[in-house]
Amino acid sequence: MIKNIPDLQEKLHDLLLSQKDSITQGKVAEYIPALAKINPQLMGVCVATIDGNIVGVGDYQQPFSIQSISKVFGLVMAMNRMGDSLWQRINMEPSGQAFNSIIQLEWEKGIPRNPVINAGALLISDVLASHYSSSKLAFLTFMRSLANDDNIHIDQNVYQSELSHGNRNAALAYLMKSFGNIEAEVPEVLNHYFTQCSISMNCQQLAQSLLFLANKGSDPRTNDIICSRQDSHRVNAILSTSGMYDQSGEFAFSVGLPAKSGVGGGIVAIVPNYGVICAWSPPLNNYGNSVVGMSLIKSLAHELNLSIY
Ligand code: GLU
């Protein structure tokens, strides 16, 4: 662990410089057309520590589409709302399938494998849509309060693009509805899900917003309890086994941190009792993980000996 902040700044700077050639190894997500327009050269990384330090380099203050990173926050809201009954409708096992796969969901009778694949996040979106009078506003308010920034907003271009290219997500939601595992109407569930995926935030905001997961559920800046200690442990366990799509095993093997990535190119990694790393670079590998983001977090974890295992 580096306690000396100038040293950490220098380390991040060197790591970022060493990544310039890796960008070409990935491809920006194109299946959501609005995401395809991003400049692939942008990249940034930020570390927020529970004792209040923020160290960032590159484009770490440039907002990007958080996409699946939103699934972490939705899960926390649903756990807070539902308690243990949530786990009757959703599982906590790795899927070993692509994030938007539909095959397993039929075999398993509409019970998603875990909350961070698309089927699981749609189920969580149903929980939120069914339990809040305005789940989209509740979600945005939660994000704004965690990031301490009322300017956090939904990117309407991304939202519209997801809505008009969301047939696979609609298929997942209708399949779960056919098994009786979705309460609200499917368009309402999709509307919530696409909204939360379309939020724009930067690396610093994401790293700071997730500090509670590095601090046993409480926000170290305010001492507010964001979730119980047990739920913080459970979320980190799910992120360790499933947060990096079907590359989660390799990520646990080579990095050893609970993490979540999104097809916007962001990756957040939780370092328990220390802080959160957020790396961002849009080009993705075949699993949907940012090539540079993975490499940055991997190098940092090795050099600072951060693995939890
Ligand atoms: N909104 C994206 C989708 O549903 C999120 C995917 C992701 O970031 O994993 O396909």
Side-chain angles (χ1 to χ4, degrees):
M1 226 64 93
I2 294 192
K3 292 282 180 198
N4 181 333
I5 296 307
D7 285 355
L8 182 54
Q9 179 92 36
E10 198 181 315
K11 172 82 48 204
L12 292 183
H13 185 258
D14 292 348
L15 282 178
L16 204 68
L17 277 182
S18 70
Q19 299 302 320
K20 297 275 179 211
D21 295 338
S22 319
I23 301 177
T24 49
Q25 292 166 21
K27 233 170 144 254
V28 168
E30 283 171 346
Y31 76 105
I32 301 171
L35 295 183
K37 296 187 184 135
I38 190 85
N39 174 358
Q41 307 283 338
L42 294 167
M43 59 166 88
V45 58
C46 181
V47 176
T49 67
I50 57 176
D51 53 13
N53 289 305
I54 303 288
V55 185
V57 295
D59 303 302
Y60 74 104
Q61 288 181 319
Q62 162 93 30
F64 61 90
S65 190
I66 68 171
Q67 291 295 317
S68 270
I69 298 173
S70 69
K71 293 171 182 171
V72 183
F73 300 93
L75 172 60
V76 170
M77 285 178 78
M79 286 169 108
N80 283 343
R81 200 73 195 206
M82 300 288 288
D84 281 353
S85 66
L86 180 66
W87 303 104
Q88 288 164 12
R89 293 176 60 191
I90 192 164
N91 223 319
M92 67 288 279
E93 296 298 338
S95 74
Q97 307 278 324
F99 65 95
N100 55 5
S101 168
I102 202 163
I103 295 173
Q104 201 167 46
L105 192 61
E106 177 160 27
W107 289 335
E108 300 186 357
K109 306 199 176 351
I111 308 283
R113 268 289 169 110
N114 68 64
V116 292
I117 51 172
N118 280 17
L122 287 160
L123 187 288
I124 296 288
S125 298
D126 177 52
V127 168
L128 300 179
S130 309
H131 287 84
Y132 283 93
S133 52
S134 172
S135 63
K136 293 187 293 182
L137 184 61
F139 195 93
L140 194 57
T141 305
F142 186 51
M143 301 306 284
R144 286 176 170 169
S145 89
L146 285 173
N148 196 16
D149 185 346
D150 283 343
N151 293 319
I152 286 174
H153 66 280
I154 295 149
D155 182 329
Q156 290 301 334
N157 276 336
V158 174
Y159 173 79
Q160 288 302 337
S161 195
E162 292 217 45
L163 195 61
S164 49
H165 292 81
N167 291 327
R168 180 171 279 264
N169 285 315
L172 289 166
Y174 278 113
L175 185 59
M176 286 189 284
K177 181 106 182 150
S178 78
F179 282 106
N181 200 17
I182 290 283
E183 285 174 24
E185 292 308 316
V186 167
E188 199 190 336
V189 173
L190 294 172
N191 190 329
H192 175 96
Y193 174 67
F194 294 142
T195 300
Q196 70 169 54
C197 289
S198 303
I199 290 176
S200 290
M201 286 170 75
N202 64 37
C203 290
Q204 178 175 337
Q205 290 167 332
L206 280 169
Q208 286 185 289
S209 297
L210 286 168
L211 281 171
F212 68 96
L213 289 180
N215 195 43
K216 305 177 181 75
S218 96
D219 187 330
R221 298 162 298 174
T222 57
N223 290 327
D224 289 348
I225 307 289
I226 309 301
C227 66
S228 69
R229 193 187 177 110
Q230 183 186 44
D231 280 348
S232 162
H233 164 89
R234 288 170 165 179
V235 173
N236 283 331
I238 287 171
L239 298 187
S240 298
T241 51
S242 305
M244 298 294 289
Y245 305 123
D246 44 334
Q247 204 172 15
S248 299
E250 185 189 325
F251 193 81
F253 185 88
S254 59
V255 178
L257 292 172
K260 183 74 202 90
S261 71
V263 295
I267 303 179
V268 290
I270 316 296
V271 189
N273 305 316
Y274 175 71
V276 180
I277 308 165
C278 180
W280 172 56
S281 157
L284 310 176
N285 66 17
N286 289 339
Y287 297 98
N289 292 315
S290 165
V291 174
V292 169
M294 289 257 292
S295 163
L296 277 171
I297 293 176
K298 195 177 198 170
S299 307
L300 200 60
H302 281 180
E303 293 198 24
L304 306 190
N305 215 2
L306 299 179
S307 171
I308 61 169
Y309 298 112

